[in-house]
Amino acid sequence: MASDAESKVFDGIDLDDEWRGMQRRIVELIRGEVKSDLAEDRLELDPRIYTDPQRLEAERSRIFAVEPMLVALSGELAKPGDRVLFDGAGAPILVIRGEDGVLRAFLNMCTHRGTRLVANCDSSKRLVCPFHGWTFDLAGRLAGMPMAHAFAGMDKRARGLVPVPLAAWRGMLSVVA
């Protein structure tokens, strides 16, 4: 237990006091003295709400498409090439740290044929489409195409990855799909 001199304060909240309060609430819950921190009694929901396709579509259109969703913590993407994948909103999203240290989010699909670009969170310096081998840099720019002569006259700058709005707040990364 930290002394008052060592007490940690974050945004005006004494973290030691907060931790002691959480411990007390946990003990009350275990003893059955209270049923919840949020309600006077138990809240029962029909389990089908978690698997209802109509509800999912309503949530996607009314919540996921307009509200920021937490996708990662910035510490998960410490080095250039580190990335996370997020499919919780419907559209597959890739969040990646660029060579310049900037965090960016893109639709996780190749701009050639729409194939899912990244299937794992292994760090890399390039993103390579598994279908035709188009290659993108960590800023989302089209960097290479096999058989480039077949695309003569195409503006490579217009075929970069599709950006998704990304916001960072206190180490939390959110997107709006």
Side-chain angles (χ1 to χ4, degrees):
M1 187 72 63
S3 70
D4 288 341
E6 300 170 2
S7 184
K8 298 176 192 91
V9 176
F10 181 76
D11 269 357
I13 298 171
D14 182 312
L15 297 179
D16 290 331
D17 284 346
E18 186 68 17
W19 177 241
R20 282 189 294 281
M22 285 190 282
Q23 289 172 325
R24 285 186 201 100
R25 288 191 301 275
I26 290 169
V27 169
E28 290 173 350
L29 288 166
I30 292 170
R31 287 182 178 157
E33 295 169 13
V34 295
K35 303 235 187 303
S36 167
D37 282 342
L38 303 175
E40 292 294 320
D41 202 355
R42 176 178 59 239
L43 173 64
E44 293 189 27
L45 300 173
D46 184 336
R48 290 176 292 187
I49 68 168
Y50 300 108
T51 58
D52 181 358
Q54 289 177 318
R55 183 181 181 96
L56 175 61
E57 279 311 309
E59 288 177 352
R60 279 185 175 155
S61 65
R62 295 181 189 151
I63 300 171
F64 302 157
V66 296
E67 296 295 332
M69 291 173 292
L70 180 66
V71 295
L73 300 175
S74 61
E76 295 176 70
L77 304 155
K79 301 180 306 291
D82 286 354
R83 60 192 182 207
V84 295
L85 304 175
F86 179 72
D87 291 351
I93 296 172
L94 162 69
V95 181
I96 193 161
R97 187 172 297 275
E99 292 286 347
D100 56 2
V102 174
L103 289 164
R104 296 176 178 88
F106 303 102
L107 290 181
N108 185 17
M109 59 180 62
C110 180
T111 53
H112 179 220
R113 296 282 187 224
T115 299
R116 184 175 295 259
L117 186 61
V118 175
N120 61 54
C121 292
D122 297 340
S123 185
S124 66
K125 300 296 180 189
R126 295 276 189 216
L127 308 170
V128 181
C129 177
F131 193 55
H132 284 122
W134 281 30
T135 305
F136 301 85
D137 68 15
L138 300 181
R141 294 179 294 253
L142 178 59
M145 303 174 292
M147 299 182 53
H149 65 278
F151 301 96
M154 183 187 79
D155 182 4
K156 282 176 52 173
R157 292 172 296 186
R159 297 304 290 265
L161 298 178
V162 177
V164 172
L166 176 70
W169 183 73
R170 296 189 178 189
M172 295 178 284
L173 305 176
S174 299
V175 296
V176 175

